[in-house]
Amino acid sequence: MLLNNLISFSKKKPDKIAFVSENKTYTFEQALVRIQNIASFLRDKGCKKKNKIIIYAENSIEWIFLYFAIQYIQSIPIILGKYLPKKKINNILIENNIKFFISDKKMKSFLLRNVINITTDEIRKIEFESKKIENYKKTSNSYISEIIFTSGSTSEPKGVILTKKNSLFIAKQINNFVKVSNKDRELLLLPLSHSFGLGRLKSQLIAGNTMIVLKDLSNFGKLLLAIKKYKVTGFGAVPSIIEILKKIDSSYIKDIKKNIKFIELGSEEINHETINWLLKNFPNARVCHHYGMTEASRAIFIKYNKSNLKNNLIGKKSLYSKITIINNKKKVCKNNEIGEIVIKGPFVMKNYLSKTNDKKPFISQGFLTGDFGYKDKKGNYFLIGRKDSLVKINGINVSLIE
């Protein structure tokens, strides 16, 4: 569906800038032609429909074009982060009969012999041809758009299967709450190999906006100059990025703050002092924080203001979410009663790639998150901790942190 959006914008707004990368711009029409060139290259290499193709690379415009080119030929991208150990990657290769592996540099030292290793540099050098390959053949909403591996921060990394429908509703949920307009310009500050960063790409794509993609995310001086140069109106960030921003000379922040309309936070807890700093230094921005995991992204949202800075508060359910709190007997909890958070909605994953997981991820109420929390009478949700970080005291679940 997201590829459908890109194709649609290439016809409706062919000259609008879709991507900016290292001082080079691509209109929606140029982006589509580039995707088609890469799709043709992959097909010539032997990639076929439903082949699983691994992307194991840092952020770049080639990464984005590859992601869509793989979908264009109806293959399935498997997205791996650099945090995955080589042993885990080899297991993925063997278990899924992977024949194509795309990386920033040759990885023959640990890849299996029958795997074709293509580098992003090879993709970069593909000749830009206006000649188009056959038109994209639309697939059903249930078709797999990607398989993305979790970071393993709460358990063993798992391959999460997302359908085209899942991807679309993730983007819709973001834009509905963050209030992304069709005039926004975003600087990508997050790895595309993580669901947070990939969600930001999806969000801007369905709105037909411009995404600025830089390779070196560690150079904050360069990032701030890009925000100013391209008149960026918003970005997504983990709290650790905001902590670095706080240490930068305030004059730099002053130059960019008036244009920033939204900041989406996620992946980590953020302290109240940092939230107050954001509210003060970006007064025009809608400062939001999402709760959700790769399996059920952006299920709950909060828009911060000075009156809602409460411990453990994560917000209210997002547009397409159905949230249930259940006890250990799988019964629905009453208001303020602590139980496991269960999420249901069209954005929730189809399933895990491997079916060898010990526990089933779904019950009738939805996806079992393994997180414990509660809901108050106003519909606000509070996160207490992971299931394995709770102990029972006098029959009541209590967080070890508390």
Side-chain angles (χ1 to χ4, degrees):
M1 278 190 177
L2 296 172
L3 182 53
N4 293 347
N5 281 82
L6 195 151
I7 292 169
S8 176
F9 283 121
S10 74
K11 296 174 182 176
K12 294 177 182 177
K13 300 179 180 180
D15 298 325
K16 182 172 180 180
I17 302 299
F19 302 106
V20 178
S21 175
E22 310 299 329
N23 295 318
K24 188 170 184 179
T25 61
Y26 297 86
T27 65
F28 276 99
E29 184 176 49
Q30 289 170 334
L32 178 60
V33 172
R34 194 69 186 132
I35 289 164
Q36 291 173 323
N37 292 160
I38 296 168
S40 181
F41 169 85
L42 293 174
R43 189 172 285 167
D44 289 344
K45 285 284 186 181
C47 296
K48 298 178 181 178
K49 183 178 180 180
K50 293 189 178 181
N51 278 173
K52 297 184 180 79
I53 303 173
I54 286 178
I55 305 177
Y56 179 71
E58 302 288 355
N59 283 14
S60 67
I61 192 64
E62 286 75 31
W63 194 108
I64 293 172
F65 291 158
L66 267 167
Y67 170 73
F68 288 115
I70 292 168
Q71 294 179 354
Y72 198 98
I73 59 174
Q74 297 181 10
S75 295
I76 300 167
I78 296 186
I79 301 165
L80 305 184
K82 291 300 181 78
Y83 46 79
L84 286 174
K86 290 182 179 179
K87 184 178 179 181
K88 178 67 178 178
I89 294 172
N90 262 326
N91 289 341
I92 295 167
L93 290 168
I94 295 167
E95 291 171 7
N96 296 281
N97 193 27
I98 301 297
K99 291 184 172 60
F100 299 93
F101 189 99
I102 301 170
S103 54
D104 288 325
K105 58 184 180 180
K106 289 291 184 182
M107 308 292 289
K108 288 184 177 179
S109 60
F110 81 95
L111 289 180
L112 303 174
R113 288 184 181 179
N114 62 338
V115 175
I116 298 171
N117 187 192
I118 302 167
T119 66
T120 50
D121 194 48
E122 290 176 72
I123 299 298
R124 193 176 299 112
K125 291 176 181 177
I126 294 172
E127 192 172 341
F128 192 102
E129 298 179 7
S130 58
K131 182 182 71 174
K132 298 179 180 179
I133 65 172
E134 63 189 66
N135 290 334
Y136 171 64
K137 295 178 181 178
K138 291 184 179 181
T139 50
S140 69
N141 292 347
S142 61
Y143 199 85
I144 297 171
S145 65
E146 73 251 13
I147 298 166
I148 183 167
F149 270 74
T150 62
S151 62
S153 57
T154 58
S155 63
E156 175 73 14
K158 302 182 185 75
V160 173
I161 299 174
L162 296 176
T163 64
K164 289 172 62 177
K165 182 178 180 180
N166 294 153
S167 290
L168 180 65
F169 278 92
I170 287 168
K172 282 186 172 184
Q173 288 209 136
I174 296 168
N175 290 2
N176 175 262
F177 193 88
V178 179
K179 306 300 181 190
V180 173
S181 75
N182 60 3
K183 296 179 180 179
D184 282 312
R185 300 167 72 89
E186 177 167 351
L187 175 62
L188 182 64
L189 295 176
L190 301 155
L192 288 161
S193 58
H194 192 280
S195 64
F196 190 0
L198 191 56
R200 293 301 326 147
L201 172 65
K202 293 173 180 179
S203 156
Q204 293 303 329
L205 184 59
I206 68 163
N209 288 334
T210 302
M211 178 70 84
I212 294 92
V213 185
L214 301 179
K215 282 187 177 182
D216 186 7
L217 298 180
S218 63
N219 188 335
F220 271 76
K222 186 179 178 181
L223 295 177
L224 288 171
L225 287 173
I227 290 174
K228 185 177 180 181
K229 178 180 179 179
Y230 298 112
K231 297 180 180 178
V232 168
T233 62
F235 55 86
V238 292
S240 55
I241 290 176
I242 306 302
E243 292 300 327
I244 296 172
L245 279 179
K246 286 167 62 179
K247 297 175 183 177
I248 291 172
D249 191 291
S250 59
S251 61
Y252 288 99
I253 303 297
K254 187 178 180 180
D255 283 342
I256 64 171
K257 68 179 185 180
K258 65 179 180 180
N259 289 327
I260 301 298
K261 299 296 188 293
F262 69 84
I263 299 171
E264 185 191 359
L265 303 165
S267 298
E268 304 167 12
E269 187 179 355
I270 188 167
N271 63 62
H272 293 174
E273 185 267 330
T274 300
I275 296 168
N276 280 321
W277 182 88
L278 282 170
L279 294 173
K280 178 183 177 181
N281 286 277
F282 296 93
N284 300 327
R286 186 175 172 86
V287 181
C288 310
H289 200 140
H290 71 255
Y291 163 82
M293 53 290 300
T294 307
E295 296 94 332
S297 185
R298 276 77 166 197
I300 296 173
F301 266 108
I302 185 169
K303 176 186 175 293
Y304 286 122
N305 57 60
K306 291 184 178 180
S307 64
N308 68 356
L309 301 184
K310 300 177 182 178
N311 288 336
N312 304 322
L313 176 63
I314 54 174
K316 295 188 176 183
K317 75 177 191 70
S318 48
L319 181 64
Y320 301 105
S321 296
K322 182 178 180 181
I323 311 292
T324 309
I325 310 292
I326 61 167
N327 59 26
N328 56 7
K329 294 181 179 180
K330 303 293 187 289
K331 301 294 182 182
V332 178
C333 292
K334 298 176 183 178
N335 287 340
N336 300 310
E337 180 186 351
I338 294 173
E340 185 170 1
I341 300 171
V342 182
I343 303 172
K344 196 171 190 175
F347 58 97
V348 177
M349 72 165 186
K350 180 178 181 179
N351 212 327
Y352 288 119
L353 177 60
S354 173
K355 296 180 180 179
T356 59
N357 297 309
D358 294 331
K359 298 178 182 178
K360 293 183 179 180
F362 294 99
I363 58 172
S364 60
Q365 291 97 329
F367 172 72
L368 294 161
T369 65
D371 287 336
F372 269 58
Y374 64 92
K375 182 181 76 170
D376 69 12
K377 63 181 180 180
K378 294 182 179 179
N380 294 307
Y381 289 89
F382 295 79
L383 179 64
I384 301 302
R386 291 289 298 168
K387 190 173 183 178
D388 50 14
S389 71
L390 300 178
V391 295
K392 275 193 180 275
I393 299 177
N394 295 327
I396 299 172
N397 283 311
V398 178
S399 169
L400 290 172
I401 298 171
E402 294 182 331

